[in-house]
Short mmCIF file of all heavy atoms in Angstrom, two decimals:
data_model
loop_
_atom_site.label_atom_id
_atom_site.label_comp_id
_atom_site.label_asym_id
_atom_site.label_seq_id
_atom_site.Cartn_x
_atom_site.Cartn_y
_atom_site.Cartn_z
N GLU A 307 52.91 -22.91 9.87
CA GLU A 307 52.53 -21.62 9.32
C GLU A 307 51.42 -21.02 10.19
O GLU A 307 50.24 -21.22 9.94
CB GLU A 307 52.06 -21.79 7.87
CG GLU A 307 53.16 -22.21 6.92
CD GLU A 307 52.67 -22.28 5.48
OE1 GLU A 307 51.46 -21.99 5.26
OE2 GLU A 307 53.46 -22.64 4.59
N GLY A 308 51.82 -20.35 11.19
CA GLY A 308 50.87 -19.77 12.13
C GLY A 308 51.59 -18.80 13.04
O GLY A 308 52.82 -18.64 12.99
N PRO A 309 50.85 -18.14 13.91
CA PRO A 309 51.47 -17.16 14.81
C PRO A 309 52.40 -17.85 15.82
O PRO A 309 52.26 -19.03 16.13
CB PRO A 309 50.27 -16.50 15.50
CG PRO A 309 49.17 -17.50 15.39
CD PRO A 309 49.38 -18.23 14.11
N THR A 310 53.30 -17.08 16.34
CA THR A 310 54.24 -17.55 17.36
C THR A 310 53.78 -17.06 18.73
O THR A 310 53.33 -15.92 18.87
CB THR A 310 55.65 -17.06 17.07
OG1 THR A 310 56.09 -17.59 15.81
CG2 THR A 310 56.63 -17.50 18.17
N ILE A 311 53.90 -17.93 19.74
CA ILE A 311 53.52 -17.57 21.10
C ILE A 311 54.75 -16.98 21.80
O ILE A 311 55.86 -17.50 21.69
CB ILE A 311 53.01 -18.80 21.87
CG1 ILE A 311 51.81 -19.43 21.16
CG2 ILE A 311 52.64 -18.44 23.31
CD1 ILE A 311 51.33 -20.72 21.78
N TYR A 312 54.52 -15.88 22.53
CA TYR A 312 55.59 -15.26 23.30
C TYR A 312 55.22 -15.29 24.79
O TYR A 312 54.04 -15.19 25.15
CB TYR A 312 55.81 -13.81 22.85
CG TYR A 312 56.33 -13.70 21.44
CD1 TYR A 312 55.44 -13.63 20.36
CD2 TYR A 312 57.70 -13.67 21.19
CE1 TYR A 312 55.91 -13.54 19.06
CE2 TYR A 312 58.17 -13.57 19.89
CZ TYR A 312 57.27 -13.51 18.83
OH TYR A 312 57.75 -13.42 17.55
N LEU A 313 56.24 -15.44 25.63
CA LEU A 313 56.04 -15.49 27.07
C LEU A 313 56.87 -14.40 27.74
O LEU A 313 58.00 -14.15 27.34
CB LEU A 313 56.46 -16.84 27.67
CG LEU A 313 55.53 -18.04 27.47
CD1 LEU A 313 55.74 -18.64 26.09
CD2 LEU A 313 55.77 -19.09 28.53
N ASP A 314 56.28 -13.80 28.77
CA ASP A 314 57.01 -12.86 29.60
C ASP A 314 56.91 -13.34 31.05
O ASP A 314 55.81 -13.52 31.57
CB ASP A 314 56.40 -11.45 29.48
CG ASP A 314 57.14 -10.46 30.36
OD1 ASP A 314 58.34 -10.22 30.11
OD2 ASP A 314 56.51 -9.95 31.31
N VAL A 315 58.07 -13.60 31.66
CA VAL A 315 58.12 -14.11 33.03
C VAL A 315 58.61 -12.99 33.95
O VAL A 315 59.68 -12.43 33.73
CB VAL A 315 59.06 -15.32 33.13
CG1 VAL A 315 59.12 -15.83 34.57
CG2 VAL A 315 58.59 -16.44 32.20
N THR A 316 57.81 -12.67 34.97
CA THR A 316 58.15 -11.60 35.91
C THR A 316 58.01 -12.10 37.34
O THR A 316 56.95 -12.60 37.72
CB THR A 316 57.22 -10.39 35.70
OG1 THR A 316 57.23 -9.99 34.34
CG2 THR A 316 57.65 -9.24 36.59
N PRO A 317 59.08 -11.96 38.14
CA PRO A 317 60.44 -11.55 37.80
C PRO A 317 61.20 -12.72 37.16
O PRO A 317 60.75 -13.86 37.22
CB PRO A 317 61.03 -11.17 39.15
CG PRO A 317 60.32 -12.04 40.13
CD PRO A 317 58.93 -12.21 39.61
N SER A 318 62.33 -12.43 36.62
CA SER A 318 63.12 -13.47 35.95
C SER A 318 63.98 -14.26 36.93
O SER A 318 64.49 -15.33 36.58
CB SER A 318 64.02 -12.85 34.88
OG SER A 318 64.89 -11.89 35.45
N GLU A 319 64.17 -13.74 38.15
CA GLU A 319 64.87 -14.46 39.20
C GLU A 319 64.02 -14.45 40.46
O GLU A 319 63.57 -13.38 40.90
CB GLU A 319 66.24 -13.83 39.49
CG GLU A 319 67.24 -13.98 38.37
CD GLU A 319 68.64 -13.56 38.80
OE1 GLU A 319 68.85 -13.39 40.03
OE2 GLU A 319 69.51 -13.41 37.93
N VAL A 320 63.78 -15.63 41.04
CA VAL A 320 62.91 -15.74 42.22
C VAL A 320 63.52 -16.73 43.21
O VAL A 320 64.34 -17.58 42.85
CB VAL A 320 61.50 -16.22 41.84
CG1 VAL A 320 60.78 -15.20 40.99
CG2 VAL A 320 61.55 -17.56 41.13
N ASP A 321 63.09 -16.59 44.45
CA ASP A 321 63.43 -17.60 45.46
C ASP A 321 62.44 -18.76 45.34
O ASP A 321 61.30 -18.57 44.92
CB ASP A 321 63.36 -17.01 46.87
CG ASP A 321 64.47 -16.02 47.15
OD1 ASP A 321 65.55 -16.19 46.54
OD2 ASP A 321 64.26 -15.10 47.95
N GLU A 322 62.89 -19.94 45.74
CA GLU A 322 62.00 -21.10 45.70
C GLU A 322 60.74 -20.81 46.52
O GLU A 322 60.78 -20.20 47.58
CB GLU A 322 62.72 -22.32 46.26
CG GLU A 322 63.28 -22.12 47.67
CD GLU A 322 64.11 -23.29 48.14
OE1 GLU A 322 64.27 -24.25 47.37
OE2 GLU A 322 64.61 -23.25 49.28
#
Side-chain angles (χ1 to χ4, degrees):
E307 293 184 0
T310 298
I311 302 175
Y312 294 89
L313 284 81
D314 179 64
V315 179
T316 307
S318 59
E319 292 190 13
V320 294
D321 290 331
E322 55 186 1

